[in-house]
Amino acid sequence: MELTGAEIFVRCLRDEGVEYVFGYPGGASLHIYDALYKQDEVKHILARHEQGAAHAADGYARSSGKPGVVLVTSGPGVTNTVTGIATAYMDSIPIVVFSGQVATSLIGNDAFQEVDAVGITRPCVKHNFLVKDVKDLAETIKKAFYIATTGRPGPVVVDIPKDITAHKTEYHYPKSVSLRSYSPVTKGHSGQIRKAVDLILQAKRPMIYTGGGVILGESSKQLTEFVRLLGYPCTNTLMGLGAFPATDPLFVGMLGMHGTYEANMAMHECDVLVAIGARFDDRVTGELSKFCPHARIVHVDIDPSSISKNVPVEIPIVGSVDNVLRDMIKLVKESKQRPDKAALQAWWKQINEWRSLECLKYEHSDKVIKPQAVLEKLYELTQGDAFVTSDVGQHQMWAAQFYKFDKPRRWINSGGLGTMGFGLPAAIGVQFAHPGETVVCVTGEASIQMCIQELSTCKQYSLPIKIVNLNNRYMGMVRQWQEFFYDRRYSHSYMDALPDFIKLAESYGHVGMQIDKPSDVEGALKEAFKLKDRLVFMDFITDQTENVYPMIAAGKGQHEMQLSPCHRDTSAERELA
Amino acid sequence: MRHIISLLLENESGALSRVAGLFSARGYNIESLTVAATEDPTLSRMTLVTRGSDEIIEQITKQLNKLLDVVKLVDLTEGAHIEREMLLIKVEATDGAREEVKRLSDIFRGRIIDVTDRAYTIELTGTGDKLDAFLQTLGKTGIIEVVRSGPSAIARGDKGLHL
Ligand SMILES: Cc1cc2nc3c(=O)[nH]c(=O)nc-3n(C[C@H](O)[C@H](O)[C@H](O)COP(=O)(O)OP(=O)(O)OC[C@H]3O[C@@H](n4cnc5c(N)ncnc54)[C@H](O)[C@@H]3O)c2cc1C
Ligand SMILES: Cc1ncc(C[n+]2csc(CCOP(=O)(O)OP(=O)(O)O)c2C)c(N)n1
Ligand SMILES: [Mg+2]
């Protein structure tokens, strides 16, 4: 039987096992929406803005490991998703975005709501397609999912002209596809792996630096086994948090600009660096010329272009983390060589000295709410088991520092693009992927306003997300840089004319709370978590002057961290000066 | 260093813009780029000339290989290869210049492919250097129009770039 393109589209999603599509309708996608209406296997979630739909699909993907699916209309529908697509691209998140397009006969005519979707999204997708014949539709959709989810994952856009969704053809969804120009490597080169293990076992001051690739590659178990087998220190990037249990004594915290003192010092002093699924981002390395001066470097990554891009690597291993780690674990177990006990002991002694500085220490207050204290309480009350999404700014860094993630896919944030507005819609996707689980969105009063309309989506689908708004009445991260590097000229970083967040939440049908006393923090959180089936917007009025520490300023090396004022005049600071 | 990178690309409309977009987005320079279909109509062959340090060339080849439209890639500069470029040039050919232009063209093994009573059109093939030399010899005066194809290149020996 022949089906229309729109019907084929819906059948493809069903056969691909897609449960949710996050979208927003419009002229060019009306045939598809009509086909969606006539079935109930693929559920459509209506966002309030296409950016929200894209972030929701992204949050769904990050928290579940399954691809997120987006459906938008042509023109403004696509342009509104671009931020969401770029966000997914920078963090290698598998989403598939379907956009309506004007009819093929009109393409290129400046037709109503026409934009060159393939052209606009080209620089921020893993790949994209324009479907020109209904006979190609099913195979193109299969390819899109295949490309998005394999190798280094990433967003794929499929642009579908309106007439294609009306044309008819036989439906057949291919079980698999192959592309002659695309065959991601998975197995690592055995000779390289052997060389790497030799080097790793010879290390006197080893360091294991891991990133988002471990989570994307579902390899937390192997990583944990590998690190524990060796007894070496392990650090995670912002994107890798949860890949190794944060409460394990071998974990030295996040590294990089706002990472821990011990993680950054250990990076600087290590003699063998094992980078796994991490891409030597500039927020991590600090000044490149000062980066890891003593280290011989092993780098495991599925994408050859991540290797030796910023930092030259001695032993590159192209392969997927899970395979390579499995091979490495096997070799370590088989090898007669053992890590040098005495050297390792001395190394841990040094690391523990750095640790004893307690670099995340902050000044407590009983007058004004310290943002860090809210997050410590949040961690304690959720027992480290919540899904935490975040926006971008100081609150994001504090959440990363103070919420100890023991499991992967629980920490959902935009690292590469740093997209304000990500947190709330991402939480929507997370909640759909994990109904019944606690989902918290940590945000700031500036970020939350960038996708605030999604409160309406939360109402429609009864999503009991808990919003922790750390309201410092500033674009805190911007203010911090202006304080440090622009002589306190706070140019346009003050958030004036803020809405009454309680009333705002209430007008969307949710519960709103404002908390301005430190003694009320715990009670408010407890009360919010008791409201199991309600979205609660907690507006914490926090210290306006608090800064994120420690910090590597621009041009500085990892060993040149600036510590918080409550460390001033400690021996370490003197040493640094 | 100057590198000649040869690519087999999917012969699809978006492929060229993906390659060109990659270069502009990442700030790599393109000295020249030529592309045309091959004996297999689903593939086109691109010759791309670029300059950069070893690190940059390594990134360029890795990034190109990542594009789904790139089926095969070889950096011809890594081995022995032959490079050719074609020049089409229209030159004033009146009075004394008429003889002189023909003579120079002969010396460079050019071919006159169109003639009017005021001008010659010459076709000349060779390395970029040779074409430069010819242009220099002609001098500025008298040149009506210059069209250069950009280099095409192929590896020496009996092996070809295939699927
Ligand atoms: C305000 C702000 C501050 C920040 N501060 C910091 C900071 O202090 N510290 C910090 O770490 N980051 C920080 N970031 C984040 C930073 O910008 C980068 O996003 C982050 O460091 C990149 O993490 P990653 O190296 O793990 O790479 P990801 O972007 O997670 O990339 C994953 C890597 O793994 C590879 N990979 C994917 N799948 C596999 C697989 N199956 N097998 C093998 N390899 C695979 C990919 O090819 C890629 O190279 C900050 C961001 C913001 C917005
Ligand atoms: C879309 C977008 N615009 C601008 C920025 C630059 N930026 C980074 S952090 C920040 C301030 C965020 O303020 P807020 O959400 O209140 O968080 P805080 O830093 O105060 O915790 C800004 C403007 C960005 N990351 N994203
Ligand atoms: Mg703020």
Side-chain angles (χ1 to χ4, degrees):
Chain A
M1 197 185 70
E2 297 210 320
L3 300 180
T4 66
E7 289 162 342
I8 289 174
F9 173 83
V10 176
R11 290 279 286 270
C12 287
L13 295 195
R14 186 196 70 182
D15 291 348
E16 187 61 40
V18 172
E19 200 180 354
Y20 295 109
V21 179
F22 300 89
Y24 207 96
S29 60
L30 278 177
H31 294 324
I32 294 179
Y33 272 85
D34 194 47
L36 279 170
Y37 187 83
K38 294 175 184 155
Q39 56 85 54
D40 54 11
E41 284 167 295
V42 178
K43 295 177 204 72
H44 180 272
I45 308 304
L46 180 68
R48 296 298 182 270
H49 186 300
E50 288 87 351
Q51 182 186 350
H55 291 328
D58 176 322
Y60 177 89
R62 288 181 202 240
S63 67
S64 69
K66 292 186 273 189
V69 181
V70 183
L71 172 62
V72 297
T73 190
S74 66
V78 186
T79 53
N80 270 351
T81 57
V82 170
T83 299
I85 296 169
T87 302
Y89 181 69
M90 290 298 280
D91 292 339
S92 306
I93 305 304
I95 62 172
V96 180
V97 179
F98 297 98
S99 50
Q101 179 57 282
V102 300
T104 39
S105 59
L106 294 175
I107 289 180
N109 275 0
D110 301 322
F112 175 63
Q113 295 199 323
E114 179 185 2
V115 297
D116 174 9
V118 164
I120 283 184
T121 60
R122 187 176 296 124
C124 58
V125 292
K126 183 168 172 188
H127 197 65
N128 57 18
F129 297 95
L130 170 65
V131 182
K132 291 183 190 140
D133 187 333
V134 69
K135 291 196 185 68
D136 299 335
L137 182 59
E139 190 175 339
T140 307
I141 293 176
K142 183 75 204 172
K143 280 184 187 165
F145 280 98
Y146 172 62
I147 294 166
T149 54
T150 50
R152 179 179 183 167
V156 176
V157 170
V158 183
D159 200 30
I160 312 177
K162 187 167 185 181
D163 53 331
I164 304 287
T165 60
H167 295 166
K168 286 188 164 183
T169 190
E170 288 291 333
Y171 172 66
H172 166 70
Y173 195 59
K175 280 210 176 56
S176 64
V177 279
S178 69
L179 292 133
R180 60 181 171 185
S181 57
Y182 177 73
S183 49
V185 185
T186 53
K187 257 335 242 161
H189 186 278
S190 58
Q192 290 290 92
I193 294 178
R194 198 166 292 278
K195 256 171 56 189
V197 168
D198 276 349
L199 178 64
I200 290 168
L201 288 171
Q202 283 167 32
K204 306 253 184 267
R205 298 186 311 279
M207 181 68 169
I208 298 174
Y209 147 51
T210 76
V214 178
I215 293 173
L216 296 165
E218 303 285 0
S219 319
S220 297
K221 237 183 76 200
Q222 289 91 298
L223 175 68
T224 309
E225 185 182 350
F226 181 67
V227 175
R228 288 182 180 158
L229 185 65
L230 293 163
Y232 289 179
C234 177
T235 180
N236 285 162
T237 66
L238 182 72
M239 300 316 295
L241 295 176
F244 187 79
T247 53
D248 190 298
L250 298 173
F251 187 63
V252 294
M254 181 171 85
L255 81 167
M257 180 174 279
H258 291 300
T260 66
Y261 181 67
E262 52 270 33
N264 284 314
M265 288 304 287
M267 288 291 290
H268 188 76
E269 296 295 335
C270 74
D271 69 343
V272 172
L273 180 68
V274 190
I276 306 175
R279 57 182 175 83
F280 294 83
D281 186 81
D282 50 80
R283 296 264 151 155
V284 162
T285 58
E287 171 61 36
L288 277 174
S289 61
K290 300 177 183 172
F291 180 73
C292 288
H294 319 292
R296 300 174 65 183
I297 305 179
V298 176
H299 188 185
V300 182
D301 203 292
I302 203 160
D303 178 357
S305 77
S306 280
I307 299 180
S308 296
K309 180 165 71 176
N310 303 330
V311 173
V313 165
E314 181 177 329
I315 307 181
I317 301 171
V318 178
S320 75
V321 183
D322 58 338
N323 276 324
V324 174
L325 277 179
R326 226 169 280 172
D327 292 349
M328 284 189 168
I329 289 168
K330 193 158 161 275
L331 284 180
V332 171
K333 284 182 176 163
E334 284 168 9
S335 169
K336 285 189 201 71
Q337 201 179 344
R338 288 292 102 203
D340 180 337
K341 253 209 179 116
L344 199 55
Q345 239 168 21
W347 180 226
W348 272 112
K349 187 164 166 280
Q350 170 66 74
I351 291 172
N352 286 328
E353 247 166 61
W354 290 323
R355 226 181 214 166
S356 66
L357 197 76
E358 295 182 55
C359 66
L360 298 181
K361 216 162 53 183
Y362 59 96
E363 255 160 89
H364 292 259
S365 161
D366 51 12
K367 296 200 177 56
V368 48
I369 297 179
K370 291 285 181 175
Q372 301 97 321
V374 178
L375 293 165
E376 280 184 314
K377 220 11 118 191
L378 176 72
Y379 172 68
E380 192 187 307
L381 293 176
T382 54
Q383 288 153 9
D385 220 22
F387 287 84
V388 180
T389 74
S390 128
D391 267 301
V392 173
Q394 292 182 315
H395 61 274
Q396 176 188 23
M397 294 298 107
W398 286 316
Q401 292 174 335
F402 288 91
Y403 202 98
K404 299 187 195 73
F405 294 93
D406 276 343
K407 297 179 192 159
R409 300 200 179 279
R410 303 250 150 177
W411 165 238
I412 312 291
N413 81 137
S414 163
L417 200 67
T419 308
M420 290 170 70
F422 175 80
L424 177 58
I428 291 175
V430 175
Q431 191 77 76
F432 274 109
H434 304 275
E437 298 276 348
T438 304
V439 180
V440 181
C441 167
V442 175
T443 184
E445 79 297 332
S447 290
I448 191 69
Q449 292 190 75
M450 285 215 180
C451 275
I452 193 82
Q453 74 287 346
E454 300 304 328
L455 282 174
S456 173
T457 312
C458 296
K459 183 63 191 171
Q460 181 177 349
Y461 299 98
S462 305
L463 305 176
I465 294 162
K466 304 296 181 274
I467 298 175
V468 172
N469 186 35
L470 298 176
N471 185 345
N472 51 10
R473 283 85 67 216
Y474 269 112
M475 297 172 200
M477 186 56 94
V478 174
R479 189 203 55 74
Q480 174 168 348
W481 282 60
Q482 291 171 334
E483 176 185 332
F484 289 4
F485 311 118
Y486 296 89
D487 264 339
R488 299 176 189 246
R489 287 184 298 278
Y490 297 131
S491 177
H492 302 279
S493 55
Y494 184 73
M495 288 304 291
D496 213 342
L498 286 172
D500 177 335
F501 285 111
I502 300 184
K503 283 194 191 145
L504 184 89
E506 285 173 355
S507 82
Y508 277 108
H510 302 303
V511 179
M513 296 178 180
Q514 190 176 71
I515 306 95
D516 54 11
K517 281 199 272 312
S519 54
D520 291 342
V521 169
E522 178 165 359
L525 283 166
K526 279 186 173 159
E527 195 186 325
F529 285 119
K530 260 196 225 129
L531 296 170
K532 284 222 173 309
D533 49 5
R534 298 297 299 275
L535 183 149
V536 184
F537 192 115
M538 288 163 271
D539 186 23
F540 291 95
I541 306 302
T542 59
D543 187 349
Q544 286 195 282
T545 60
E546 193 60 58
N547 289 321
V548 183
Y549 293 106
M551 175 170 182
I552 305 173
K556 300 283 183 184
Q558 290 183 316
H559 59 307
E560 298 170 304
M561 289 205 99
Q562 181 179 345
L563 296 172
S564 111
C566 61
H567 288 95
R568 291 288 141 80
D569 216 25
T570 62
S571 54
E573 182 88 340
R574 250 178 277 131
E575 231 173 77
L576 287 177
Chain B
M1 251 262 288
R2 178 172 177 272
H3 285 252
I4 305 174
I5 296 172
S6 252
L7 304 166
L8 283 180
L9 283 183
E10 296 289 352
N11 191 3
E12 277 169 19
S13 55
L16 176 60
S17 45
R18 263 186 247 278
V19 172
L22 175 79
F23 276 72
S24 60
R26 294 188 182 267
Y28 305 141
N29 85 46
I30 300 187
E31 223 161 72
S32 76
L33 188 158
T34 65
V35 61
T38 64
E39 78 284 4
D40 172 350
T42 68
L43 287 174
S44 44
R45 168 89 174 226
M46 177 184 280
T47 307
L48 204 155
V49 182
T50 180
R51 269 176 203 281
S53 61
D54 290 352
E55 293 77 39
I56 289 187
I57 299 297
E58 183 181 331
Q59 265 301 309
I60 289 177
T61 56
K62 283 174 169 179
Q63 293 292 349
L64 283 169
N65 265 316
K66 249 171 90 168
L67 295 178
L68 266 92
D69 297 308
V70 172
V71 184
K72 272 268 156 69
L73 178 154
V74 64
D75 182 346
L76 288 175
T77 347
E78 281 173 357
H81 63 279
I82 301 158
E83 187 184 330
R84 288 289 179 274
E85 182 174 357
M86 186 164 81
L87 167 76
L88 297 176
I89 184 168
K90 208 173 273 184
V91 208
E92 276 174 21
T94 45
D95 310 329
R98 208 162 170 90
E99 252 322 292
E100 177 64 4
V101 167
K102 178 161 186 333
R103 204 173 60 83
L104 288 175
S105 166
D106 286 345
I107 292 172
F108 279 85
R109 301 214 173 86
R111 291 200 302 142
I112 297 178
I113 52 175
D114 190 39
V115 180
T116 71
D117 36 347
R118 292 188 46 241
Y120 285 147
T121 301
I122 304 166
E123 170 198 326
L124 184 63
T125 310
T127 61
D129 285 352
K130 176 177 159 186
L131 305 190
D132 290 344
F134 182 57
L135 286 172
Q136 212 160 30
T137 313
L138 284 177
K140 277 218 176 58
T141 51
I143 294 181
I144 301 169
E145 188 179 4
V146 173
V147 182
R148 290 177 73 152
S149 66
S152 299
I154 196 163
R156 283 195 183 273
D158 49 17
K159 295 224 169 55
L161 187 59
H162 280 298
L163 281 188

